[in-house]
Amino acid sequence: MGKAAKKFKKSDARKAADPIGARPKKPAFVATPQTDALHKSKILPTVKSLASASATDRAAAMLTCNELLRDDTCRFMLLKERIVAKLMEDLVHDSSEDVVVLAWSALCRIAREEGYDQSVNMFRKDILSRIKTVLEKLFGSIGSVVVDPSKSDANTARNFWTLTESIIGLLKCLSEESEQALDAISKMNIVPFLMGLLRPSINVPESIRSIVAQCLSSLTEDNDDLTSKIIEEQAHYVPQLIQLKEDKSPVIRMSACAILHNLSLAPTEIETDLIDAQLLPTLTSFIKHTAVLDFSSYNPAETSPEDQAGLRAAQIALEVVASVATSAGYELDGAEPEANPDPEFIGGVESGDEDDEMADDIAELREDMDMTTVEDHSDLYSGVDKILQYLLETTTPAVILLSKPTLPTSLSHIQLRALAALNNIAWTLDAAVASRSRLSSKWRNHAQTIWNVVIEPVISGNTADITLADAVTGVAWAVAKAAGGNLEVQGVALHKSFISLYRAATTDELRTKCVGVLGCLALPEEKLEVNKDIGIFLVGLLNASPNTPAQPAIEAMNSIMDIYSDAVFQYDRPVFVELGFLQYLETAAPKIRTLIRRIDRKKFPELRERADEAGNNLTRFIAYKKKEQNKQQQQQ
């Protein structure tokens, strides 16, 4: 299996913790009489009690502190009281073991809930030195607690496991949020301890095994040094990870798949035939299991720990599938398309037109999931083709079901991760069909289903959830591109919804996605009015330069050149010619050059390169269209 290319990260912030930006934005703190009263009655007394001379009082205050940290408002007020500094400087060194354990639990919760800012704050205050000291203590006492539990009382064992869970959870948070923290943790030789806790021969609480597996997944993501080191010791670790892929715990199974996928991307070759194509069945099977569950009455407050673990496992599985799809996309450039050994199996699996009703689409997907399998034909393909085939035939239908907007809002984190996976699958398959025509028919059928089930309900509903709209629009771009804009659109004015979304967008990324979708929807020649609306909008964006943001302006230039590249298109004369687009583009040209010059070549080299290329192409396009129109006038 080829190694996927990796992008250099300039920022210290990592994407592992929040790969799709799905962490909910916390509302700004607003002081009210109620919060002032809470501050006086709860926060200040708790903080004061943390400095009590009595160990019992300090422990009681730490219990209260941990409860208060669960609430966003209370946590904000505790942070304003410098609770992190108090925990790190005093309480983790307390003479009372109970206080120490509770202090580390508090730090872990703060890092988990607050993310990058507090994680980096802890790292810069050298929390890893304190963690190293605790790890040495845990190393020293693990034998008595795990190997011979009779040598430790119940309270000692409870404190040991609580402290272990907090420390590993904190390492997970730090490694997910900061590249510098990840590098430092990778040098701590933590892997033997973590893998030891996952051995089937020792009795470790399920919650500990779960957080350990997730921590290893985070540590090995995009970490060449650590993955290479693990592979060098693969005789000890890789067989154990392969065994964990069959663990009874869904979180551990999916995390094991994540770790093995991360190892497959290491620069050091892994001496096993385990590749992504063999991980996909395990990942897809769990996604499919989750997709067919009934979430109509889902209530987070009433969900059992087992069901919560199942949902967490589904998130992990979707994240790994998204990464596998991206890796396959990187490999496409270097892989030769394989011959189609069985055209009857590959081509035209589904016949007839798809029904426009979402219920029928979903019913068809469920049937597809039940009846379609690639494993029966797995011997026909190898390498990237095997992955593409499985993604297309088996994984995509399951992911579509978790991407649909009928999931309750309390499961939006699952939907967003499903959309991220679907987005990566869509772009990879879209690139694959160019050289693998056998995939085209099935992918076009899926593209129409995705449009009906996922995209139209969200976009036509004018959702106020910009995060959801952004995720859906990314998928819409890939789907519209795959179909060449030839989609059966239930909402005849859906393109206007994308125009409205552009105007409501708060990021250039979403604006660019909207322009990309519109550029595809304008291509079908029979949709004259749609083409006219989109053409006017795109030309208007360029005329608004240099005030139009650079990224959507570049995409608008490329879209206009694609749409109106030839006078033979049915919409060229009634739209481009009769509406005077050429004159507008000539007027916009100097404005566009100003926009391009404003892009700092040193700070944004790739963006400037793309802008220069688009600007030069537009200049040639204007000259070409002018020559084309002059020739037509002479012929008349």
Side-chain angles (χ1 to χ4, degrees), residues 198 206 209-210 213-214 217 240-261 279 281-283 285-287 289-290 309-310 312-314 316-317 320:
L198 290 173
E206 194 70 22
R209 298 179 74 244
S210 176
Q214 293 176 72
S217 173
Q240 183 181 350
L241 290 168
I242 294 174
Q243 185 178 5
L244 288 171
K245 193 166 69 74
E246 308 300 327
D247 195 270
K248 64 179 182 179
S249 164
V251 171
I252 294 174
R253 288 202 307 274
M254 298 306 108
S255 295
C257 288
I259 299 164
L260 289 165
H261 167 66
L279 297 177
T282 301
L283 296 164
S285 175
F286 195 79
I287 293 172
H289 164 76
T290 306
R312 176 60 190 141
I316 297 169
V320 180

Side-chain angles (χ1 to χ4, degrees), residues 485-507:
N486 290 300
L487 294 157
E488 296 178 14
V489 181
Q490 298 175 26
V492 292
L494 193 65
H495 64 287
K496 293 184 178 179
S497 295
F498 281 107
I499 292 174
S500 297
L501 180 58
Y502 176 96
R503 291 168 177 153
T506 56
T507 66

Side-chain angles (χ1 to χ4, degrees), residues 150-192:
S150 63
K151 292 184 178 180
S152 59
D153 57 49
N155 187 63
T156 299
R158 182 171 59 253
N159 279 342
F160 175 87
W161 290 124
T162 302
L163 185 58
T164 300
E165 185 171 3
S166 298
I167 292 296
I168 295 173
L170 189 50
L171 288 172
K172 174 179 178 291
C173 292
L174 294 171
S175 66
E176 287 177 339
E177 297 293 351
S178 166
E179 285 285 344
Q180 292 182 4
L182 175 67
D183 292 342
I185 294 169
S186 299
K187 297 173 183 176
M188 291 171 56
N189 196 30
I190 188 71
V191 172

Side-chain angles (χ1 to χ4, degrees), residues 212 337 592:
V212 166
I592 293 169

Side-chain angles (χ1 to χ4, degrees), residues 26-37:
K26 295 182 176 66
F29 176 78
V30 178
T32 65
Q34 289 77 16
T35 59
D36 289 342

